[in-house]
């Protein structure tokens, strides 16, 4: 049996699928925005101040180099010396600022920025130590300028210019490294931006597709509900014909199956109502027949018998005797007919008692055996043992069995055949099954569906009440009766009586 799935659960699962797709898109968007914000903050508060500090160090170094280039040509060398010494005193502060900025700009989770920070600190330390070694040369330069030794001053100046230019080059290398890192960061941000836009578009498309899929899925889930609605409208118009139920493992499938079962129950109730109305009409007709026809018919029968006795002594009236016998047979047939109608109309509720069903069946068979023998029908009785106890009205069950046996006998006319009566415990263990089999020509499926309807008959002179009365008796006992084909040929009637 398929596991039952709630429609609410399936709709919720569909909603969760859409929500997950939307959440994935939202999470990716938030992550992309946070990464972009982090990189922008790193540029603003890290790389830009770092570049400014390196530029200040380079500017200070360039000032020293510029003053140094013109110191021998200056009209007042002492002023140039003051500028140079001032810049040299400021230079350590610029390197200290560079180291401070480099130490603090790199986040703990950014390995690349921390590597750059270490390289800058180490480079600043090395450049600062390198530039501190020019003090002796500056002393010789200032001494040569004060003593008027132009050759020594010029030679020392050239040495210092080369030295300071090398220091500036090293600072520019640090600045270029920072510039490259900033360019790489911006380029990476642009690449991630393009990639993020593509991923965001793909996730948005995925969310749209999931939404469309969920809508189609919900429509398919709810489609049986529309079928149930259409079926209800058809039933309201009077269409009670059975239809196949499209089973789905949810409340809608259960509703469709329950509704179709209700329609079948209504159809059965309508059929039972029609039969009840027919039987009620039979009852009224039987009462009228009893009052209007029975007494004249009895009088006619009595007069025919008297007339037959009067003519019995006259040999020349042989033809009249035949006519009287024919009239008598028709009167008897009419009497039997109205008696059958009376049995239907006057049927009381069964008086249930704990009786021996096998004994009753044996009695019925012995009673009707002469009729069966005359019709060339052999009868075989099979009674299983043990059998559960059942309660029934002996007279009514006797009549039902007689109706079935006679119906089977007539089905095998004119050639005769074989009849089986089997009594056995039901497979479910809830009562007794009585099976009446014959090997006649069988009954067509269309006819089998109507054999229990009142007044339905395939016989030329039948009333169509025998099987209807039998069904009425069995159902009054709380049992069921069915007609089905028998293999390889013939018909099977099946009676189930509930256990006491």
């Amino acid at each position: 049996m398929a596991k039952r799935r709630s429609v609410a659960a399936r709709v919720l699962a569909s909603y969760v699928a859409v929500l997950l797709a939307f959440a994935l898109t939202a999470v990716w968007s938030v992550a992309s925005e946070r990464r972009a914000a982090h990189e922008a903050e790193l540029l603003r508060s890290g790389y830009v101040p770092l570049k400014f500090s390196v530029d200040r160090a380079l500017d200070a170094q360039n000032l020293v180099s510029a003053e140094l280039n013109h110191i021998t040509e200056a009209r007042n060398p002492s002023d140039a010396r003051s500028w140079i010494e001032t810049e040299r005193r400021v230079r350590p502060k610029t390197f200290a600022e560079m180291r401070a900025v480099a130490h603090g700009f790199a986040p703990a989770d950014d390995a690349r920025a921390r590597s750059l920070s270490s390289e800058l600190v180490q480079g600043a330390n090395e450049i600062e130590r390198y530039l501190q070694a020019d003090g002796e040369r500056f002393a010789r330069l200032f001494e040569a300028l004060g003593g008027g030794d132009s050759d020594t001053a010029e030679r020392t100046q050239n040495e210092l210019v080369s030295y300071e230019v090398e220091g500036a080059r090293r600072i520019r290398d640090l600045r270029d490294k920072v510039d490259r890192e900033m360019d790489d960061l911006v380029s990476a941000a642009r690449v991630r931006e393009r990639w993020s836009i593509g991923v965001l578009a793909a996730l948005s498309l995925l969310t749209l597709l999931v939404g469309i899929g969920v809508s189609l899925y919900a429509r398919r889930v709810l489609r049986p509900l529309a079928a149930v609605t259409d079926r209800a409208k058809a039933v309201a118009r009077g269409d009670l014909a059975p239809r196949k139920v499209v089973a789905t493992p949810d409340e809608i499938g259960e509703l469709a199956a329950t509704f179709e079962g209700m329609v079948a129950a209504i159809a059965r109730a309508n059929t039972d109502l029609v039969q009840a109305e027919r039987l009620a009409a039979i009852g009224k007709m039987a009462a009228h027949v009893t009052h209007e026809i029975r007494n004249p018919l009895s009088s006619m029968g009595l007069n025919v018998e008297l007339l037959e006795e009067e003519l019995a002594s006259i040999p020349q009236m042989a033809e009249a005797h035949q006519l009287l016998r024919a009239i008598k047979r028709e009167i008897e047939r009419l009497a039997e007919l109205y008696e059958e109608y009376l049995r239907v109309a006057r049927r009381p509720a069964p008086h249930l008692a704990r009786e021996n069903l096998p004994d009753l069946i044996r009695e019925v068979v012995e009673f009707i055996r002469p009729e069966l023998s005359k019709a060339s029908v052999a009868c075989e009785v099979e009674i299983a043992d043990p059998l559960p106890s059942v309660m029934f009205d002996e007279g009514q069950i006797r009549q039902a069995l007689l109706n079935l046996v006679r119906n089977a006998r007539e089905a095998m006319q004119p050639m005769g055949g074989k009849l089986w009566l089997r009594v056995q415990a039901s497979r479910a263990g809830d009562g007794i099954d009585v099976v009446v089999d014959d090997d006649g020509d069988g009954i067509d499926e269309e006819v089998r569906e109507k054999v229990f309807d009142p007044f339905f008959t395939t016989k030329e002179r039948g009333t169509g009440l025998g099987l209807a009365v039998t069904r009425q008796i069995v159902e009054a006992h709380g049992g069921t009766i069915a007609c089905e084909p028998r293999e390889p040929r013939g018909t099977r009637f099946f009676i189930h009586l509930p256990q006491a």
Side-chain angles (χ1 to χ4, degrees), residues 181-371:
E181 289 295 327
M182 293 178 67
D183 292 340
D184 291 345
L185 186 65
V186 172
S187 298
R190 288 173 179 170
V191 171
R192 277 194 299 273
E193 179 185 10
R194 290 193 294 270
W195 195 69
S196 298
I197 291 174
V199 172
L200 184 60
L203 289 176
S204 300
L205 180 61
L206 175 63
T207 303
L208 177 62
L209 293 177
V210 170
I212 294 174
V214 167
S215 299
L216 295 176
Y217 176 72
R219 181 179 178 182
R220 184 172 66 85
V221 169
L222 298 176
R223 185 181 301 162
L225 189 59
V228 173
T229 303
D230 294 339
R231 177 63 171 143
K233 293 179 181 178
V235 171
R237 292 191 297 267
D239 181 9
L240 299 179
R243 294 186 183 178
K244 183 179 179 181
V245 178
V246 179
T248 56
D250 51 33
E251 296 95 331
I252 298 178
E254 184 178 350
L255 173 63
T258 303
F259 184 81
E260 201 61 38
M262 181 192 70
V263 173
I266 293 174
R268 288 193 300 270
N270 286 347
T271 301
D272 294 342
L273 179 61
V274 170
Q275 293 183 355
E277 290 176 350
R278 288 180 178 178
L279 293 176
I282 293 172
K284 294 178 181 179
M285 185 186 302
H288 183 73
V289 168
T290 301
H291 180 71
E292 299 293 340
I293 299 177
R294 186 175 186 181
N295 292 334
L297 196 61
S298 299
S299 177
M300 290 169 59
L302 180 59
N303 290 330
V304 167
E305 289 179 1
L306 293 175
L307 185 57
E308 189 176 17
E309 291 176 1
E310 290 291 336
L311 296 177
S313 60
I314 305 175
Q316 295 83 3
M317 304 301 291
E319 185 177 356
H321 281 291
Q322 294 179 359
L323 294 175
L324 288 174
R325 282 195 294 272
I327 295 173
K328 186 176 181 181
R329 284 195 302 269
E330 293 300 319
I331 292 174
E332 290 174 353
R333 191 177 73 83
L334 289 174
E336 183 178 341
L337 182 62
Y338 76 66
E339 286 295 338
E340 188 170 1
Y341 273 80
L342 285 176
R343 283 195 296 270
V344 174
R346 296 178 178 177
R347 181 162 311 285
H351 298 289
L352 301 180
R354 198 180 299 270
E355 303 286 352
N356 191 316
L357 185 59
D359 289 345
L360 175 61
I361 289 177
R362 293 188 186 96
E363 292 177 8
V364 169
V365 171
E366 291 303 320
F367 172 78
I368 203 171
R369 193 177 295 278
E371 295 183 27

Side-chain angles (χ1 to χ4, degrees), residues 424-433 492 494 496:
Q424 59 196 22
S426 62
R427 293 182 179 179
D430 58 349
I432 290 180
D433 295 337
R492 170 173 297 165
F494 179 91
H496 171 75

Side-chain angles (χ1 to χ4, degrees), residues 146 173 417 462 498:
D173 288 344

